[in-house]
Amino acid sequence: MSGQAFSSVGVRVQVRGLRKVFDGQDVLKGIDLAVEAGEIFVIMGPSGSGKTILLKHIIGLESPDEGEILIDGEAIQSESVREKCRMAMVFQSGALLSSQTVGENVGLYLSEHRLKPRREIDRIVAEKLELVGLKGLESRYPAELSGGMKKRVAIARALAMEPQLILYDEPTSELDPLMAVTVAEEILKLKQRMQVTSIVVSHDRDLAFGIADRIAIIHQGRIIAKGTPAAIRASSDTMIQRFLTAEFTNNSRNK
Amino acid sequence: MFQNIGEILVLLWQTLQALPKTVRQRRKVFDQFFEIGIASLLMACILSLFIGGVIALQTGPVLAERGLSTYIGGLVGLSMCKELAPVMMAILIAGRIGSAMSAEIGSMRVYEEIDALRTMNIQPVDYLVLPRLVAIGCALPMLVVFSILVGWLGGALVSSTNQKIGVPFQAYFSNLREMVEPGDVFNGLIKSFVFAVVIGIVSCHQGLQTIGGPRGIGRSVTKAVVNSIVLILILDYFLTRVLLYLEI
């Protein structure tokens, strides 16, 4: 893989008839999706509806019981897909390597695949960390960071890969509103700069409606709606309306 | 159980296939080598000194009663290099390093770090298992050589200072030189290499199989250590038979 020239354009993702059963329980019940190259596709839904497991299938961490996932027309399980395109995932927990420093974590992909010289990797690491507001923290260990800072390092690690497909699992959870805006802007900038395909799983309605080209709502392992943010907002489905309009009020407090 | 053995063999095969990538992982190999070898040296030294001493203490008076005390050097020498140093060091390393390997990899698995590696197209076998297996495969035989030497010294100290044995240093080592051949040390090295591979692969496999939270990690550590020690003791018997048959 060393020295391999990659295209910087996003990839097309197709999910066809995806089913997954865990311990006899249907977690995904026939998901069909098509995410176009360069699109920001947001998947929303209540907790436990199968969003994260869907992301893990898309990046190849889980194998479907039925159905297939195609990246630019090739099955995700095929060896050649990972050789041809760079895919990154920002995990909800950050999933930083705890035995490595922040700098080593961010530069891990580049150094392990020997894609750049050491000095160039250090420069990229510094640049990506500055981008997420963590300038100068290269030598810290993940255990020394707060939850939000870990999430930002994970985003910097994904950005350092200059991926063609980037999957975000709750990218703004544990972030303060200002940093959430920065992350949202970075997702948009990636799209504008490199036409990266982004699939975002989030509960954050502001983020979803602020950045999405299209939104899918998943409920109990099924996609119950998909379309542009305006179309989703206009949906008459009660479940969708409840999910989109749920608010904490004084009435809730008095219950 | 058979599924576990099958998975362990598959992991071993995958690691052997990844061997040409060792040079790329040399920094991690060196770190692991330091952890296994250098950091275990003091404990190995204490353990071996007392093992050598206790063999001399147990057998010396019996030999002396029969007028065979001059053979104490050879007896301690052969016991240490053929059996005690490889087995005791392997058990020490299984407890000290096998547990650490399974705990580290297990926690990486539980906290999605291994998933993160896979999303970056970094194979856990190349990145985690290979450096550990290469390092333990080199470090354990070296540790065994060290243990043999210290064990001999422990036996010599007891033989010369214990009044019931009363064999001086010179007579002890003279008999040891007479009875112990380089092949006997080589015998111990072959055993220790096989034990090293068993500890490394069983511990890494157990780590990679970890599920659940901290309790799952604890369970993996226990399984890794217990399974390694059981396998070491079973394999020791069969290896001894094979090596006796081959007259090494």
Side-chain angles (χ1 to χ4, degrees):
Chain A
M1 177 169 243
S2 316
Q4 191 172 334
F6 285 110
S7 146
S8 290
V9 182
V11 290
R12 185 165 196 263
V13 178
Q14 290 164 280
V15 178
R16 291 180 184 161
L18 178 63
R19 297 181 77 92
K20 184 72 180 180
V21 179
F22 282 122
D23 298 328
Q25 194 187 342
D26 275 346
V27 180
L28 298 176
K29 301 170 184 168
I31 301 276
D32 289 294
L33 278 181
V35 181
E36 298 306 322
E39 188 177 24
I40 298 178
F41 192 89
V42 177
I43 301 167
M44 298 181 82
S47 299
S49 55
K51 303 183 297 293
T52 298
I53 207 73
L54 173 59
L55 274 197
K56 286 190 172 180
H57 276 88
I58 293 173
I59 202 149
L61 290 175
E62 294 283 350
S63 305
D65 291 331
E66 270 178 47
E68 59 181 357
I69 293 121
L70 305 175
I71 307 290
D72 266 352
E74 279 191 64
I76 183 71
Q77 280 87 5
S78 75
E79 290 281 321
S80 57
V81 166
R82 290 192 177 277
E83 295 295 324
K84 280 184 196 162
C85 46
R86 284 155 298 164
M87 294 180 273
M89 178 161 169
V90 177
F91 288 80
Q92 190 169 2
S93 63
L96 302 176
L97 303 196
S98 50
S99 58
Q100 301 209 347
T101 63
V102 165
E104 286 167 340
N105 265 288
V106 176
L108 185 64
Y109 176 80
L110 299 174
S111 57
E112 271 305 305
H113 294 294
R114 301 187 171 191
L115 295 174
K116 309 262 183 202
R118 186 72 255 167
R119 198 173 287 179
E120 179 70 0
I121 293 175
D122 291 343
R123 189 194 61 74
I124 293 169
V125 167
E127 179 192 303
K128 300 303 174 193
L129 282 175
E130 190 175 358
L131 204 70
V132 294
L134 295 174
K135 189 182 174 187
L137 293 190
E138 283 91 335
S139 56
R140 293 263 193 101
Y141 280 90
E144 298 170 300
L145 306 178
S146 69
M149 286 162 98
K150 283 181 194 167
K151 178 66 68 69
R152 282 143 69 190
V153 175
I155 292 169
R157 180 171 69 182
L159 297 181
M161 290 172 69
E162 297 198 343
Q164 292 161 277
L165 169 64
I166 184 161
L167 311 181
Y168 300 88
D169 191 4
E170 301 286 357
T172 53
S173 66
E174 297 183 71
L175 298 184
D176 62 75
L178 287 176
M179 193 41 69
V181 170
T182 308
V183 168
E185 282 172 354
E186 194 51 41
I187 296 173
L188 280 171
K189 270 191 218 160
L190 270 173
K191 175 194 159 122
Q192 286 154 4
R193 225 171 35 216
M194 295 189 293
Q195 285 298 302
V196 169
T197 309
S198 305
I199 302 179
V200 184
V201 156
S202 184
H203 288 122
D204 185 337
R205 288 169 294 193
D206 292 339
L207 174 82
F209 286 93
I211 64 169
D213 292 316
R214 281 190 304 147
I215 295 175
I217 308 282
I218 185 168
H219 182 53
Q220 292 180 340
R222 283 199 179 90
I223 300 231
I224 54 170
K226 96 189 127 177
T228 60
I232 294 292
R233 238 193 257 273
S235 167
S236 56
D237 189 301
T238 41
M239 164 61 211
I240 296 170
Q241 283 309 317
R242 272 174 57 204
F243 184 75
L244 296 182
T245 56
E247 266 182 25
F248 181 81
T249 60
N250 260 343
N251 291 342
S252 320
R253 196 176 176 180
N254 296 333
K255 268 180 194 171
Chain B
M1 188 182 81
F2 289 112
Q3 189 188 345
N4 264 342
I5 293 171
E7 285 169 0
I8 287 170
L9 290 175
V10 169
L11 183 63
L12 180 61
W13 176 242
Q14 288 171 339
T15 315
L16 292 176
Q17 283 181 314
L19 269 178
K21 297 175 190 164
T22 306
V23 180
R24 285 182 79 163
Q25 303 288 351
R26 60 186 178 276
R27 215 187 95 194
K28 281 195 272 302
V29 172
F30 185 77
D31 289 346
Q32 290 293 325
F33 183 81
F34 179 84
E35 183 63 27
I36 299 163
I38 315 286
S40 305
L41 218 52
L42 180 66
M43 209 175 279
C45 179
I46 296 167
L47 195 67
S48 308
L49 195 71
F50 281 93
I51 290 171
V54 86
I55 303 171
L57 198 60
Q58 289 276 17
T59 56
V62 182
L63 291 174
E65 273 174 25
R66 288 156 180 78
L68 298 168
S69 58
T70 49
Y71 288 102
I72 186 90
L75 193 142
V76 174
L78 284 173
S79 318
M80 278 310 293
C81 59
K82 279 188 147 179
E83 200 57 51
L84 288 166
V87 173
M88 296 309 291
M89 283 306 107
I91 291 174
L92 170 75
I93 291 300
R96 199 181 170 282
I97 304 299
S99 57
M101 279 183 188
S102 59
E104 192 180 352
I105 296 178
S107 96
M108 289 182 77
R109 164 112 168 113
V110 167
Y111 298 111
E112 295 183 309
E113 293 176 31
I114 291 179
D115 282 347
L117 287 175
R118 286 170 60 199
T119 62
M120 286 184 271
N121 202 18
I122 298 170
Q123 298 308 317
V125 170
D126 302 356
Y127 190 80
L128 299 171
V129 184
L130 177 70
R132 283 167 173 79
L133 203 65
V134 171
I136 198 171
C138 297
L140 189 55
M142 288 189 194
L143 213 55
V144 165
V145 171
F146 176 75
S147 165
I148 290 170
L149 296 173
V150 176
W152 287 350
L153 187 67
L157 283 172
V158 171
S159 304
S160 60
T161 53
N162 189 294
Q163 286 180 346
K164 284 185 182 169
I165 308 170
V167 176
F169 257 63
Q170 200 181 356
Y172 174 94
F173 280 108
S174 159
N175 180 249
L176 193 147
R177 254 203 317 272
E178 205 175 289
M179 288 184 69
V180 179
E181 290 172 9
D184 297 322
V185 178
F186 186 60
N187 183 314
L189 292 183
I190 292 174
K191 279 187 177 180
S192 64
F193 179 75
V194 175
F195 296 158
V197 173
V198 167
I199 297 166
I201 210 75
V202 167
S203 306
C204 290
H205 170 258
Q206 208 56 61
L208 290 170
Q209 294 298 311
T210 306
I211 45 167
R215 188 181 283 183
I217 298 169
R219 209 176 292 134
S220 280
V221 170
T222 311
K223 272 189 182 176
V225 175
V226 172
N227 292 351
S228 297
I229 292 175
V230 169
L231 277 172
I232 287 165
L233 296 175
I234 293 172
L235 275 174
D236 184 42
Y237 173 79
F238 290 106
L239 274 172
T240 305
R241 297 226 34 178
V242 171
L243 292 168
L244 282 173
Y245 178 75
L246 296 173
E247 293 181 356
I248 294 175

